[in-house]
Amino acid sequence: LGTGGNDGRLDFTNNAMQRLDELFDVAAPAGPPRSGSDELVRQALWGAASNNLSAGAGIGQFLPGGAGGANSTTGADGDSLIKAWDFVLMLEGSILFSARATRRLDPLATSQASAPFAVRAHAAGNATRGREKSDRGEQWMPLWSQPATNGALQGLFGEARLQLGRQLATRPLDVTRAMARLGVARGITTFVRYGYLERNGKSNFAVPVGRVDVRARPRARLIDDLAPWLDRLQRLARDSHAPARLVVSEARVSDAVFAVLTHDDSPDRWQAVLRAMAEIEGLQVSGTAFKAGPIPVLGPEWLKAADDGSAEWRLAGALGSAAASYAPDGNVRDSVRHHWLPLQPGGHRFKEIEKRLADDVRVVAQGRGDVSACLAVVERRIIESAQTGRRSLPIVAARGYEARLDDLATLVAGEVDFARTVELARALMAVRWNRVKATRPRTQIGKRRPDEAWMALRLASLPWPLADNRAIPVDSAMVRRLAAGDGTAAVDLALRRLRASGLHPPLQGAFVDEPTSLLWGASLAFPISSAVAAAMVQCFQPKPYTENR
């Protein structure tokens, strides 16, 4: 009700008495209705046509479209026209919105006055978002489809709250999470979202910014993994000194989360959340908003929610799960995430020195393009392997998530959206891979196979010996040639390694241009299984001699 029962110089009590005087003869002892009052009540309740509206009266913030003024009609200026019954009934109904038990003893609750279904303002899910602030917050008005008594409505609005476990929902994203988990009063079918924004000078209007249906969404609980992280990001983005790129990136991730909680449950929406989070990490590496922390640990259910069956998704799973090794108990050792972010041991927190991100020599993918970043990771892994006295490429995937041979064929042929693949993989690096169970067979060769020259490169850069205990030492010069764009020389080095290991490649050499060389080198970062390696070895084994009879 404005600032204490008034909207600027428009007093609601005075306005209500004027409307009552138009509808009833208040001077008479019995207060009978005036002529036309029954017509107006039918018009207010059932939408019947009427030309007996009140002219020259003000209704303020409750009906700004009927305030009149310049350009409000076919002429240059128009008078205000309001429905007297609408104003009277509106004020009567506003009594139900008085604050009662909506604010519980919650240590995280706001200290401001409470109102039914009122939350802090945030532009998540608003298609026409701006940087304007709404200090008066938002209010989500419920709609229901069944008749209700006044007592039931008093109970609804008196106890109106959106609950998330033992905490109240205080932000729009929390509201959508509560709705998706049926954390609201039963009987409500839809919420109409209003934001209290300044319009027409310093007048505050309730501006509708969307409508959200109340539906159970089982996968909404996945957002619980992100909730504290999102809150920290929002606080940093609302700072007056926050850089514009942080504001835009935080808006993108909030909109993506809002979409998965209010729309159909589709893999592309979940992938949009993952990609938006990876974008945030890209900013944090440069020192922006790193206090929010990296992407928090994600549950294995994220893999099923975002699986769209594409080659990009399967390759992202291979790169996202890549690590030096997987112990029999499933524990992951040395994830490749350390090459993208300066992280503490365990990979869940940033490594800081004097309140700044530490300079970590292992972070080699920073400030590079996606192809160059993956190629730099391959080079770094080979260097670290050589420091331990080994000559291998220690990059393996979680069981069941190794790269398929046909997906690698499309990758090295340039038919895969590499940027999307790496972006998804960066977010999937936060998955708790030690709890992931294999969901598809390890042996998936497919009908399509990569170029034989690339297979020679791949067999010459394995993390383990072949099935017959045949070890093929990795030549670091081969990867350096790929990084320099000289794929032709790199293939020659790989063929020499294979021949020295007893394999007989069916080719003597290959001509590889610079873009293809870089792509082939980057593709080595996608780990494969021993079954895929065995399938490639079959192409390099000497064929047995069969005498014609």
Side-chain angles (χ1 to χ4, degrees):
L1 297 180
T3 56
N6 63 282
D7 180 13
R9 58 187 178 88
L10 179 64
D11 184 79
F12 297 156
T13 305
N14 188 3
N15 198 349
M17 294 304 296
Q18 294 180 36
R19 305 289 79 76
L20 288 172
D21 186 58
E22 293 176 3
L23 299 172
F24 300 93
D25 185 3
V26 296
R34 295 186 184 277
S35 176
S37 179
D38 55 343
E39 176 187 344
L40 289 175
V41 75
R42 285 194 297 270
Q43 194 273 343
L45 296 179
W46 315 116
S50 174
N51 60 357
N52 196 18
L53 303 181
S54 301
I59 198 170
Q61 66 182 23
F62 301 108
L63 188 62
N71 300 322
S72 62
T73 183
T74 54
D77 189 62
D79 205 351
S80 64
L81 289 173
I82 68 170
K83 309 166 187 177
W85 271 115
D86 280 1
F87 191 84
V88 172
L89 295 176
M90 178 272 301
L91 283 182
E92 292 292 334
S94 67
I95 304 302
L96 293 174
F97 284 86
S98 59
R100 299 180 188 177
T102 56
R103 183 170 180 266
R104 296 298 183 89
L105 296 177
D106 185 358
L108 300 179
T110 176
S111 60
Q112 300 176 353
S114 178
F117 302 114
V119 297
R120 298 173 181 173
H122 190 262
N126 188 0
T128 57
R129 72 163 57 237
R131 292 206 64 176
E132 64 177 319
K133 295 183 179 179
S134 177
D135 296 331
R136 294 180 179 268
E138 297 182 6
Q139 197 161 11
W140 292 55
M141 298 298 186
L143 300 179
W144 54 92
S145 58
Q146 299 296 327
T149 64
N150 187 63
L153 295 182
Q154 287 181 345
L156 170 65
F157 288 102
E159 189 69 11
R161 68 185 190 276
L162 295 154
Q163 197 81 11
L164 274 172
R166 301 183 62 182
Q167 296 181 357
L168 297 179
T170 59
R171 299 179 185 274
L173 288 181
D174 297 334
V175 174
T176 55
R177 291 169 58 206
M179 291 166 53
R181 294 162 58 169
L182 291 181
V184 296
R186 298 301 189 271
I188 297 177
T189 59
T190 306
F191 277 94
V192 182
R193 180 185 178 191
Y194 287 89
Y196 293 105
L197 306 177
E198 286 189 356
R199 296 290 187 271
N200 191 22
K202 292 188 177 181
S203 299
N204 287 278
F205 289 156
V207 180
V209 293
R211 178 176 294 201
V212 180
D213 294 332
V214 177
R215 290 176 50 190
R217 305 179 190 276
R219 286 179 176 166
R221 293 184 179 273
L222 296 182
I223 302 300
D224 294 350
D225 297 339
L226 310 179
W229 184 70
L230 291 173
D231 288 340
R232 293 193 296 269
L233 278 179
Q234 289 178 13
R235 287 195 296 268
L236 293 172
R238 288 175 64 90
D239 188 270
S240 58
H241 301 291
R245 57 179 183 172
L246 172 62
V247 175
V248 172
S249 297
E250 187 275 331
R252 187 172 289 113
V253 68
S254 297
D255 288 343
V257 171
F258 192 91
V260 298
L261 294 175
T262 58
H263 294 78
D264 293 336
D265 190 8
S266 59
D268 62 315
R269 298 191 189 279
W270 288 102
Q271 288 190 15
V273 176
L274 294 172
R275 298 181 67 181
M277 291 192 297
E279 181 180 336
I280 293 290
E281 280 194 345
L283 294 178
Q284 292 175 324
V285 175
S286 63
T288 301
F290 70 91
K291 289 296 183 182
I295 298 174
V297 178
L298 305 179
E301 296 80 6
W302 280 83
L303 298 173
K304 185 176 181 181
D307 188 357
D308 62 351
S310 65
E312 286 83 357
W313 174 253
R314 291 190 294 268
L315 290 169
L319 181 58
S321 67
S325 64
Y326 277 80
D329 57 358
N331 288 330
V332 185
R333 186 179 68 85
D334 194 14
S335 167
V336 295
R337 194 182 190 190
H338 289 275
H339 299 307
W340 268 273
L341 302 171
L343 300 173
Q344 298 179 11
H348 302 319
R349 293 184 179 182
F350 282 122
K351 184 187 298 183
E352 301 180 29
I353 297 179
E354 297 180 352
K355 298 182 179 181
R356 293 186 177 183
L357 284 180
D359 291 330
D360 193 342
V361 295
R362 302 195 69 199
V363 179
V364 295
Q366 177 183 355
R368 300 173 180 264
D370 297 315
V371 172
S372 299
C374 290
L375 189 49
V377 170
V378 173
E379 290 186 278
R380 180 66 193 180
R381 284 279 162 157
I382 293 177
I383 292 174
E384 293 179 351
S385 176
Q387 291 174 347
T388 61
R390 301 174 57 193
R391 300 181 64 182
S392 63
L393 177 59
I395 300 180
V396 299
R399 179 182 174 85
Y401 284 86
E402 302 92 344
R404 294 174 21 164
L405 194 57
D406 52 353
D407 291 338
L408 291 170
T410 60
L411 174 65
V412 299
E415 301 173 7
V416 166
D417 188 342
F418 201 89
R420 174 190 166 200
T421 301
V422 175
E423 205 168 27
L424 289 172
R426 289 194 57 187
L428 293 182
M429 292 174 189
V431 172
R432 199 183 297 271
W433 287 101
N434 59 339
R435 297 185 180 180
V436 174
K437 296 181 180 179
T439 57
R440 57 177 180 261
R442 298 184 66 188
T443 305
Q444 288 199 2
I445 307 302
K447 297 181 179 180
R448 185 175 179 181
R449 301 198 176 192
D451 190 281
E452 292 176 342
W454 179 86
M455 288 195 290
L457 294 170
R458 195 66 188 86
L459 287 176
S461 53
L462 295 175
W464 19 249
L466 296 175
D468 56 0
N469 292 325
R470 186 184 323 186
I472 304 178
V474 177
D475 190 348
S476 59
M478 178 186 70
V479 180
R480 290 197 299 269
R481 294 287 188 179
L482 290 172
D486 189 2
T488 301
V491 172
D492 290 340
L493 292 174
L495 293 176
R496 294 177 189 173
R497 286 294 176 187
L498 297 182
R499 294 190 184 100
S501 300
L503 297 179
H504 297 269
L507 69 162
Q508 297 298 320
F511 175 77
V512 188
D513 58 14
E514 181 177 353
T516 303
S517 300
L518 298 176
L519 180 60
W520 283 14
S523 64
L524 300 179
F526 295 83
I528 62 175
S529 65
S530 57
V532 171
M536 290 191 292
V537 167
Q538 294 299 321
C539 301
F540 293 82
Q541 291 280 21
K543 296 182 179 180
Y545 173 76
T546 302
E547 182 179 358
N548 294 327
R549 295 185 180 273

